[in-house]
Amino acid sequence: MSQEPRERWSGRTGFVLAAIGSAVGLGNMWRFSYLTAEYGGAAFVLLYIAFTILIGIPILLAELAIGRGAARSPISALDHFGGGAWKAGGIWFVASGFLILSYYSVIAGWTLRYTLNALIGGFEPDTGAHFDAVSQGTGAVVGHLVFMGATSLIVSRGIKAGIERTSLVLMPLLFALVCGLAIYAYTLEGGREGYAFYLETDFSKILDAQVFSTAAGQAFFSLSLGMGAMMTYASYVSPQQHLPNESLVIGGADFVIAFVAGLVVFPLIFALGLSADVSESTLGALFITLPKAFAMMGLAGQAVGFLFFAALVIGALTSAISLLEVVVASAIDTLGWSRLRSTLVFGGAIALLGIPPALNINILDWMDKLAGQLFLVAGGLLLAIFVGWVMKDPFSEVRKGAEHVAWFPLWRFLLRYPIPLVLAVVLYFSVRKLFFD
Ligand code: TRP
């Protein structure tokens, strides 16, 4: 077992900002806006809100309750409340962390490159060719390694001096950047059509199974759920904190940033007449179309583009540290290693695992699908069953620091019946699509 005493956040703000930092990332800034455009505008947004409230927040609270209650990293925490067999679940979480961080860091490396390029020379007009050059090969490997180095450095410094301090500085900056960019986008002539495209409602699409499971997967990804990241952060939370309220604040902030990021992306694209380019690829809008808009805007575009990609780097970094912390905290708790050794060994291993997706974008695409559609959904199902049925008295855990909360009974009910049912259906469709199509 670990020799060092367990660290704590210095207070409420530290934890909440770090958790929002985990949630807000690449998932909000490109995945959400792209999916919204692709799957029916406001109809998708409504479905996503429903999933966030009815599945995301209950699972988030479940993770917080397990984490704080056990005050251990996921493998030991599931063991603590459920018995030795549940360790396998914790190992599944750690494996998910490995998988996600290794390709997430590659995408983050691209955003790093774009930010530097904006600073140095602005955006090249042929953004498609530029994206091909940046996204695969040696350059991508270097970007990924630099990003993993920064992530490991922060995590190696621990909870207060590393993760908390980073979030305290970077999260307010990120909020300011995204809001400032949205206001700027509002002033652009011709941007109005962008809003219309973003929010144009097509309710017929809500009923589609594909849209349904995409919205569920996005709710998980965006809230960092299903692999013990929030659980690990909660293991450093004090018993006085009001977990149900924190889950609402984290969920709300994550949604707002995703929504506002859409208010940046679409008006920009439409104001510059690039709407036809909102391409089929998930990566298109962000890494190809948007830089084209920046390139067309000259010096202003260089500045705005720099700020936009800097915001992405910040979001990615505060998310990546939460992914690495799951793996590192597990190594500290179960192997008894020091934080430094755990970070070096496992940060290094993840850096290696990220080399194939940095060399080949098809591998990256496949890893993203595997993680988002299989690992996280299965992890969420496991969590719902665990807190709904296995854990003896989850109420006593969430009630610490929060006596009377009207939605407690609803919370347990959702975890017991509707959530496992919905997630099992989503999982069935995902597995079928991933392996048998
Ligand atoms: N939520 C982050 C995003 O939206 C990504 C992320 C961080 C994540 N930690 C996670 C996703 C844990 C799933 C699980 O970009």
Side-chain angles (χ1 to χ4, degrees):
M1 293 286 112
S2 166
Q3 306 85 350
E4 302 156 35
R6 196 170 193 79
E7 272 197 88
R8 283 253 173 96
W9 305 105
S10 53
R12 175 163 190 239
T13 320
F15 164 66
V16 171
L17 284 184
I20 294 174
S22 169
V24 175
L26 299 171
N28 304 57
M29 323 252 313
W30 63 267
R31 220 164 175 257
F32 176 75
S33 45
Y34 159 76
L35 292 175
T36 300
E38 187 68 14
Y39 291 103
F44 180 84
V45 176
L46 287 180
L47 200 58
Y48 172 76
I49 293 177
F51 276 127
T52 299
I53 294 173
L54 295 173
I55 300 183
I57 296 204
I59 299 259
L60 174 56
L61 185 55
E63 286 208 25
L64 298 185
I66 300 172
R68 185 179 69 179
R72 278 159 234 214
S73 55
I75 299 178
S76 326
L78 292 188
D79 181 8
H80 177 74
F81 283 120
W86 286 91
K87 272 190 192 161
I91 293 169
W92 176 265
F93 287 167
V94 174
S96 310
F98 253 85
L99 176 72
I100 296 175
L101 184 51
S102 60
Y103 75 82
Y104 196 84
S105 164
V106 174
I107 305 177
W110 305 342
T111 63
L112 208 56
R113 268 290 281 287
Y114 274 82
T115 312
L116 290 182
N117 286 352
L119 196 62
I120 299 165
F123 293 90
E124 289 169 34
D126 190 353
T127 52
H130 182 247
F131 177 68
D132 288 341
V134 165
S135 63
Q136 301 183 69
T138 326
V141 173
V142 173
H144 155 66
L145 293 180
V146 169
F147 186 82
M148 268 314 290
T151 305
S152 305
L153 186 69
I154 296 168
V155 169
S156 74
R157 309 204 52 196
I159 299 305
K160 274 203 195 97
I163 297 175
E164 180 174 323
R165 197 185 295 163
T166 306
S167 313
L168 240 38
V169 175
L170 292 184
M171 289 319 289
L173 184 62
L174 177 63
F175 275 108
L177 278 175
V178 174
C179 292
L181 287 167
I183 293 169
Y184 172 77
Y186 179 78
T187 65
L188 292 175
E189 222 171 297
R192 294 299 137 82
E193 284 164 61
Y195 296 125
F197 177 77
Y198 179 28
L199 297 171
E200 197 184 335
T201 314
D202 181 355
F203 280 102
S204 66
K205 287 198 178 170
I206 266 194
L207 300 170
D208 185 303
Q210 177 73 32
V211 180
F212 201 76
S213 49
T214 308
Q218 175 62 10
F220 268 88
F221 190 89
S222 188
L223 278 173
S224 300
L225 297 178
M227 53 145 286
M230 291 299 183
M231 189 189 295
T232 306
Y233 272 12
S235 73
Y236 308 110
V237 165
S238 91
Q240 286 92 43
Q241 256 167 270
H242 195 299
L243 294 185
N245 282 357
E246 311 301 33
S247 71
L248 295 177
V249 170
I250 298 164
D254 183 56
F255 172 75
V256 168
I257 295 274
F259 188 76
V260 176
L263 297 178
V264 177
V265 172
F266 291 106
L268 264 173
I269 290 172
F270 275 77
L272 289 137
L274 296 171
S275 49
D277 288 15
V278 179
S279 65
E280 299 299 303
S281 132
T282 34
L283 303 171
L286 197 66
F287 290 100
I288 299 174
T289 311
L290 216 50
K292 202 178 279 181
F294 296 142
M296 288 165 73
M297 288 158 67
L299 210 56
Q302 189 174 349
V304 173
F306 169 73
L307 295 175
F308 181 83
F309 280 103
L312 271 169
V313 173
I314 293 173
L317 187 64
T318 53
S319 297
I321 55 183
S322 76
L323 286 158
L324 184 58
E325 178 61 22
V326 172
V327 179
V328 167
S330 303
I332 294 175
D333 284 353
T334 52
L335 303 174
W337 290 6
S338 72
R339 176 168 284 273
L340 184 63
R341 179 171 174 203
S342 310
T343 313
L344 284 175
V345 170
F346 288 105
I350 292 169
L352 283 181
L353 195 62
I355 291 178
L359 292 174
N360 184 335
I361 200 167
N362 294 318
I363 298 180
L364 187 148
D365 192 41
W366 193 75
M367 288 169 84
D368 183 42
K369 290 219 168 70
L370 197 64
Q373 297 178 8
L374 179 66
F375 276 74
L376 296 181
V377 179
L381 183 58
L382 182 146
L383 285 162
I385 294 171
F386 191 79
V387 175
W389 298 97
V390 177
M391 210 171 149
K392 286 220 183 54
D393 188 11
F395 287 123
S396 75
E397 228 16 90
V398 281
R399 239 184 241 119
K400 284 177 200 149
E403 277 306 318
H404 306 288
V405 175
W407 52 283
F408 276 163
L410 176 66
W411 175 60
R412 190 87 187 286
F413 170 79
L414 287 170
L415 287 176
R416 286 199 147 174
Y417 305 99
I419 296 178
L421 197 72
V422 171
L423 291 184
V425 171
V426 170
L427 194 61
Y428 168 77
F429 280 110
S430 298
V431 169
R432 221 176 60 169
K433 227 184 89 216
L434 275 174
F435 299 108
F436 302 103
D437 255 10

